Amino acid sequence: MANGVFGRAAGALIVGMLLSMAVAMPAFAQTVRVTVNGTPITDVQISQRVKLFALEGNRGGTKGATEQLIDEAVQMSEAKRLGITVSNAQVDDAFLQIARNIKLSEDKLRQMLQQGGINMDTLKDRLRAAIAWNAVTEMAVMPQVQISDLELDQKAAGQLKDYQSFDYILKEIIFVGQGSSKRTGDANRYRSRFAGCDSAVDVSMNFTDAAVIDVGRRNATQLPEAIAKELAGLNVGGISKPRVVENGVSMLAICEKTQAEDLTFIKGDLRAEQGNTALTDQVAKYLADLRKSAKIIYN
């Protein structure tokens, strides 16, 4: 499994959480509502998590907050078993990243959380658990996720359309400037004189502000669908119809065209999609198994 796939999936487990920071609340008597592997979860922790839910627009309420805290206690217990620790610096960095993601300064985010009555420990506990669980995922879950290359090949071949089954070496001929009607007319005159890639530059010398750019090798799946369909109907030495682009009018000339055997481009997307799905499923199963074996006592 490519590291990039897992990195994106693992990163999504943190970024998806709107976490917070605020001033400490006055100390008062707390009642333990749940104990998870010896770790107590109090009524104050639950009420604080409910307030955090409210800030996020999460309607999970007391039940949802309790379940999330149980999950986090289980996750932290597993992290401890695996020798995983989370430093205060990691927590601080995660908080800063959240502030940036929602385009707030750290001070503004603190103020928002303070106004919501959210305690500092609520943020720290949730952040620490999320970071620890990402580490557990990387260490214990990712190695279990396997994607069959044979299966990817079969799926990729099944998804490949006829017009996508070509590799090209292309040149772009672009007529630079505003006035799309005039530039399109110039492009069509060029097109009528085009006799293959070898003479592409020579022909362009007869036109003002015309440039020939070596695009290089492209698989049809790397091209916009409309262009891929048009090029599929042309032979080597053919040139596409003019199309208006941001800086003028463009055409693509086919210098080489071969039947594609490399499905890398489609397989890359499939691998990412299947990898993320498989990882998400495996992480959920791993946590569910941990909860089944955890000692959870409700008071």
Side-chain angles (χ1 to χ4, degrees), residues 101-251:
N101 288 343
I102 59 177
K103 303 187 186 308
L104 290 178
S105 68
E106 289 182 83
D107 287 342
K108 287 290 186 183
L109 182 53
R110 289 188 186 98
Q111 290 174 15
M112 177 189 298
L113 302 162
Q114 182 177 356
Q115 291 169 0
I118 300 168
N119 186 284
M120 173 88 70
D121 290 339
T122 300
L123 164 69
K124 286 188 174 182
D125 290 345
R126 190 174 177 195
L127 267 176
R128 199 175 300 275
I131 296 169
W133 187 239
N134 285 335
V136 170
T137 296
E138 291 177 359
M139 180 183 294
V141 184
M142 287 181 182
Q144 300 178 23
V145 178
Q146 301 293 329
I147 303 297
S148 165
D149 279 331
L150 176 60
E151 183 180 351
L152 286 177
D153 284 334
Q154 292 172 341
K155 288 191 174 183
Q159 289 190 9
L160 197 68
K161 307 290 194 303
D162 289 342
Y163 65 85
Q164 294 177 316
S165 60
F166 298 101
D167 283 324
Y168 300 96
I169 292 180
L170 303 170
K171 288 184 184 292
E172 181 182 25
I173 298 86
I174 185 163
F175 290 78
V176 181
Q178 302 299 317
S180 59
S181 296
K182 180 182 183 306
R183 297 275 72 187
T184 299
D186 291 339
N188 277 319
R189 284 190 289 277
Y190 179 98
R191 190 165 179 258
S192 68
R193 302 179 192 180
F194 183 75
C197 289
D198 289 343
S199 61
V201 173
D202 291 339
V203 176
S204 72
M205 300 298 291
N206 298 311
F207 296 86
T208 302
D209 293 330
V212 177
I213 301 169
D214 286 323
V215 176
R217 185 173 297 278
R218 292 290 185 273
N219 181 269
T221 59
Q222 295 176 285
L223 301 171
E225 182 177 351
I227 294 175
K229 286 181 176 179
E230 182 179 4
L231 293 182
L234 299 175
N235 296 320
V236 174
I239 186 169
S240 67
K241 296 177 182 178
R243 70 185 190 283
V244 177
V245 294
E246 183 177 355
N247 57 340
V249 174
S250 170
M251 298 178 293

Side-chain angles (χ1 to χ4, degrees), residues 51-100:
K51 289 179 180 179
L52 183 57
F53 275 11
L55 186 65
E56 297 173 339
N58 185 331
R59 298 182 180 181
T62 299
K63 181 178 179 180
T66 303
E67 289 301 306
Q68 189 174 84
L69 287 165
I70 292 173
D71 281 347
E72 289 175 10
V74 170
Q75 291 165 354
M76 291 301 295
S77 179
E78 179 68 357
K80 182 179 180 180
R81 185 185 73 81
L82 295 173
I84 294 168
T85 59
V86 179
S87 69
N88 291 336
Q90 286 176 283
V91 174
D92 291 341
D93 287 344
F95 173 75
L96 176 60
Q97 186 58 53
I98 290 161
R100 288 174 175 170

